[in-house]
Amino acid sequence: MSDRVYIFDTTLRDGEQSPGCSMNVPEKIRMARKLVELGVDILEAGFPIASQGDFEAVDAISREFPWAQVAALGRACTMDVERAAQSLRHARRPRIHTFIATSDIHLKYKLKKSRQQVLEEAVAAVELARRYVDDVEFSAEDGARTDPDYLEEISKAVVAAGARTVNIPDTVGYSVPYEYAGLIGRIVKALGDCAIVSVHCHDDLGLATANSIAAVEAGARQIECTINGIGERAGNCALEEVVMLFKTRQDRLPYDTGIRTEHLYSASQMLASMISFGPQPNKAIVGRNAFAHEAGIHQDGYLKEKTTYEIMDPHTVGVPESKLVLGKHSGRHALKKRTEDLGYDLGKEELQVLYERFTALADNTKGLLDEEIVALIEEGQMAMKVAAD
Ligand code: KIV
Ligand code: ZN
């Protein structure tokens, strides 16, 4: 079995649909550019039937990044699948991602459908999607709480109907690693080489990353995740965590992703600048304190030999070297250096625009956070574009 794990980013769909995270179409395009730069394998750009904005975002991202593998979500019904297909018509590598709930709880209370009905609708949706695109993913919503025999039956049926990827979400973040790994291992065995098994874990009990990793060890080869772990309720598995786990613990987890990790911090900051919250200070990998050493004993050890307290080099995730606070006394040089550390290569004029905005804001604050600097850069670039049009 290959050691390559595909990173399916759903920041712009599952992430964006959660409270405080909505983004408009230009913001989604900017974020998509960063995700492409980061090297995600599949970029889920929206749920086109849910809103006109989602439809336009999928359409715009497909046009802007024709070679990216762009996915659009739809429930397992004609209306949704056709809308997803329409939104992807300019994508060169489109994926339709269709889903229906499979657990008895969801069938009884939400869908009021029998298992047979759900199976037939899933198969019909996959068959319809295959008329539009070659690359179809099926998700068994609440898969982790679904009867394993039925989950295996429906997984085989959708693959026979043409699905290439079968996703088994832990929709409510209920599973524990060894349990989830057992379920995933069973589906991997049942599908063999006919499809890739994917995982999509929510973080309600703080186990999204652990569950995703356990699933990979059981044979899953796609992880669905988001920048900063944003998503419904407690969020989704955080992209930066699984990627850095593989990179840091190759001895125990010998898997590869195509992620260019040096862009992780800037992706995190860019997202934070667009939505209403950033990662918590102690968030793994991208939090403000993730590489800060405060305690005397720690500082002493760190100064003698970094590896005493640092398991990852901050440069590998693109954390700026300098922890200098940028405030009203900071000059152009320091500002330029920080923009470079944040992944921007600004021209003279762009830097001037940024500097003017920066000094105006810095006059009234104690210092600007990286995410605020990213927001200033993006706003400045937008203003210059509008002026030029
Ligand atoms: O959590 C979930 O089950 C989902 C599916 C639509 C994939 O987001
Ligand atoms: Zn989800």
Side-chain angles (χ1 to χ4, degrees):
M1 188 178 280
S2 152
D3 295 334
R4 176 70 155 84
V5 175
Y6 295 103
I7 297 295
F8 176 113
D9 180 274
T10 184
T11 305
L12 301 180
R13 197 282 295 170
D14 208 323
E16 200 264 351
Q17 77 189 43
S18 58
C21 295
S22 55
M23 288 172 239
N24 58 32
V25 176
E27 285 170 335
K28 279 192 166 191
I29 294 175
R30 266 167 31 223
M31 198 62 219
R33 178 164 297 114
K34 194 67 184 173
L35 294 170
V36 168
E37 187 178 31
L38 189 61
V40 304
D41 295 293
I42 303 108
L43 198 167
E44 187 163 58
F47 188 178
I49 197 80
S51 72
Q52 182 60 21
D54 266 39
F55 180 92
E56 283 169 18
V58 178
D59 181 49
I61 289 169
S62 305
R63 289 170 196 254
E64 192 87 14
F65 310 101
W67 292 109
Q69 202 169 346
V70 180
L73 184 72
R75 289 164 301 183
C77 62
T78 305
M79 197 171 61
D80 283 37
V81 170
E82 287 183 344
R83 191 80 175 137
Q86 213 187 346
S87 71
L88 287 167
R89 67 198 184 287
H90 297 290
R92 302 212 181 137
R93 296 167 68 210
R95 172 179 294 193
I96 295 180
H97 177 193
T98 185
F99 74 98
I100 191 165
T102 51
S103 67
D104 286 337
I105 296 183
H106 280 239
L107 263 59
K108 182 171 174 193
Y109 297 106
K110 187 180 86 175
L111 299 178
K112 302 188 195 317
K113 288 179 180 165
S114 69
R115 287 185 178 184
Q116 186 56 30
Q117 258 176 304
V118 163
L119 189 141
E120 284 167 14
E121 287 176 24
V123 167
V126 170
E127 283 173 351
L128 176 62
R130 278 301 304 264
R131 283 195 225 142
Y132 293 101
V133 298
D134 288 337
D135 185 1
V136 174
E137 171 171 336
F138 172 75
S139 280
E141 192 192 4
D142 207 18
R145 290 194 301 170
T146 297
D147 169 30
D149 290 336
Y150 178 56
L151 191 64
E152 186 174 322
E153 187 187 353
I154 198 165
S155 299
K156 285 181 175 163
V158 293
V159 170
R164 284 186 181 171
T165 305
V166 175
N167 183 37
I168 311 294
D170 182 14
T171 302
V172 290
Y174 182 73
S175 229
V176 293
Y178 56 85
E179 176 191 30
Y180 193 52
L183 182 66
I184 296 299
R186 176 172 172 170
I187 303 300
V188 168
K189 196 166 167 217
L191 300 182
D193 287 340
C194 300
I196 287 187
V197 174
S198 166
V199 291
H200 175 117
C201 298
H202 280 269
D203 206 29
D204 300 65
L205 289 168
L207 287 174
T209 300
N211 283 335
S212 303
I213 297 294
V216 167
E217 292 194 277
R221 285 295 177 268
Q222 176 177 285
I223 297 180
E224 305 199 354
C225 46
T226 60
I227 301 291
N228 295 348
I230 65 168
E232 283 284 1
R233 304 180 311 281
N236 287 69
C237 172
L239 183 151
E240 60 276 8
E241 293 177 13
V242 283
V243 166
M244 288 313 291
L245 254 162
F246 293 144
K247 194 170 172 113
T248 310
R249 295 306 311 272
Q250 275 285 306
D251 56 328
R252 299 302 290 257
L253 300 166
Y255 305 102
D256 293 319
T257 69
I259 297 297
R260 292 181 273 276
T261 59
E262 63 278 15
H263 296 292
L264 284 171
Y265 181 74
S266 55
S268 163
Q269 291 296 312
M270 179 180 280
L271 179 66
S273 75
M274 288 176 187
I275 63 175
S276 61
F277 56 92
Q280 81 234 28
N282 61 335
K283 167 80 182 62
I285 320 294
V286 292
R288 198 187 325 135
N289 294 347
F291 294 96
H293 306 277
E294 170 84 28
I297 295 175
H298 288 212
Q299 287 184 344
D300 179 51
Y302 172 80
L303 290 172
K304 286 175 177 150
E305 167 54 43
K306 284 186 183 175
T307 54
T308 51
Y309 286 101
E310 214 160 70
I311 59 163
M312 292 168 273
D313 180 342
H315 292 119
T316 59
V317 299
V319 168
E321 200 175 323
S322 161
K323 286 281 173 208
L324 294 180
V325 175
L326 288 185
K328 63 178 177 181
H329 301 298
S330 307
R332 264 169 233 264
H333 187 71
L335 184 61
K336 183 167 189 320
K337 172 80 176 73
R338 184 62 56 89
T339 63
E340 285 164 5
D341 287 344
L342 289 168
Y344 291 90
D345 181 18
L346 300 187
K348 223 171 159 189
E349 206 187 329
E350 284 175 315
L351 191 65
Q352 180 57 26
V353 170
L354 172 66
Y355 187 68
E356 283 163 17
R357 289 170 168 255
F358 167 77
T359 43
L361 202 63
D363 254 349
N364 306 311
T365 57
K366 287 197 192 316
L368 268 75
L369 298 172
D370 285 346
E371 68 191 61
E372 293 169 322
I373 294 167
V374 171
L376 285 183
I377 298 171
E378 295 288 339
E379 284 162 19
Q381 287 181 330
M382 190 70 87
M384 283 173 72
K385 194 167 177 286
V386 170
D389 287 346

